[in-house]
Amino acid sequence: MGNLLPHRSLGSQRKVDSMTYKIAILVGSLREGSLNRKIARSICAIRNDGLDCSMVEIGDLPLYNQDLETSNPPVQWTRFRDQVQPVDGVLFVSPEYNRGIPGALKNAIDVGSRPYGQSVFDKKPGAIVTVSPGAIGGFGANHQIRQACVFLNMPVMQQPEAYLGHVSDDSFDRDGNLKDGGLKDLVTKLAHAFHDWVDMIHRSRAILADDAADKTGQAAGQRAHA
Ligand code: FNR
């Protein structure tokens, strides 16, 4: 089962300053000059005060084969699972391949989801961003990833929807930063919304855990005085 609380416990603080959350980013493109990778970097840079991001390598994962799910699975699977397990949230940033999820990303999702009952994605808040030079912005892939997230039991951010179309190398300056304009405005909105989404999920869980602990304490107190 995945973590219920963030890496830094919220404790009983119901009102605290903005928290920083550990985020695993899975990029669906293995290409060095990937537009998706550049957008992922931009999201992290825009909200680096609240999102502590690490890009998790997926290109070296052996294709999922249940026969390899032994007490000694492939080391790349273990490395991947160990990197995703402790984070507070997962951000998928992916191209669309033939109107669907790139195989490398689907394989990573499958690897992280097993062994049964030990998924590293369970209950982790997530967001899905698809990026394409085309007009539709990877809508098909976006919703296929979303469909997997339903089964993975991940609360996924709904808005703003992130089908980023007409993205090209020209959208970025020579240092890889987004140029001013509508795309940068949308990515900025996304970065803030994702932080707030992860924050809301973890803060709500902390409050529920506090309330449950209070009730347990009260019940124990009543029993002691009975
Ligand atoms: C594509 N591309 C693409 N684009 C799209 O909008 N819808 C699609 O279905 C596809 N299909 C597709 C299949 C394959 C095999 C490739 C290689 C490419 C184009 C794709 O969006 C473009 O190459 C992006 O630049 C890929 O993302 P990265 O690598 O720049 O992050």
Side-chain angles (χ1 to χ4, degrees):
M1 191 193 280
N3 286 350
L4 283 172
L5 294 172
H7 67 285
R8 191 150 54 92
S9 173
L10 293 168
S12 59
Q13 290 173 281
R14 294 189 176 212
K15 281 191 158 199
V16 291
D17 291 336
S18 183
M19 296 276 297
T20 298
Y21 294 97
K22 281 192 187 298
I23 303 297
I25 302 190
L26 307 192
V27 176
S29 170
L30 308 182
R31 192 168 79 86
E32 205 180 318
S34 163
L35 299 168
N36 281 273
R37 199 170 293 273
K38 287 184 188 174
I39 291 288
R41 284 202 192 102
S42 301
I43 293 171
C44 300
I46 287 163
R47 204 56 229 267
N48 67 1
D49 58 321
L51 300 173
D52 177 8
C53 298
S54 51
M55 298 220 189
V56 180
E57 179 62 45
I58 65 168
D60 63 341
L61 297 174
L63 285 179
Y64 191 78
N65 175 348
Q66 211 171 343
D67 290 342
L68 305 182
E69 201 70 270
T70 63
S71 56
N72 194 21
V75 288
Q76 299 93 332
W77 290 6
T78 304
R79 186 266 311 154
F80 176 78
R81 290 164 176 167
D82 288 349
Q83 284 180 300
V84 179
Q85 182 65 63
V87 302
D88 302 316
V90 179
L91 177 63
F92 299 93
V93 187
S94 181
E96 174 177 81
Y97 282 176
N98 300 305
R99 296 284 178 258
I101 308 184
L105 179 58
K106 183 60 168 59
N107 185 51
I109 290 172
D110 295 340
V111 168
S113 71
R114 293 277 155 161
Y116 183 75
Q118 296 175 44
S119 167
V120 295
F121 298 112
D122 189 50
K123 297 187 179 66
K124 288 200 164 63
I128 302 161
V129 178
T130 46
V131 178
S132 171
I136 305 173
F139 176 89
N142 193 300
H143 280 265
Q144 286 190 357
I145 299 166
R146 196 168 285 273
Q147 187 175 341
C149 289
V150 171
F151 186 65
L152 294 170
N153 197 28
M154 300 177 75
V156 177
M157 186 173 80
Q158 310 293 326
Q159 296 286 345
E161 294 177 289
Y163 321 115
L164 307 186
H166 302 297
V167 180
S168 70
D169 285 327
D170 199 40
S171 308
F172 304 87
D173 66 20
R174 287 207 332 224
D175 297 324
N177 302 311
L178 274 168
K179 292 178 183 169
D180 287 340
L183 179 63
K184 185 174 177 180
D185 293 346
L186 177 53
V187 171
T188 302
K189 220 181 263 180
L190 271 172
H192 287 285
F194 181 49
H195 175 271
D196 293 350
W197 178 253
V198 175
D199 191 47
M200 183 187 75
I201 300 286
H202 284 297
R203 215 180 278 259
S204 306
R205 286 176 183 163
I207 289 169
L208 289 172
D210 271 1
D211 288 349
D214 283 352
K215 278 190 190 133
T216 307
Q218 281 165 14
Q222 281 163 4
R223 274 198 303 278
H225 287 97

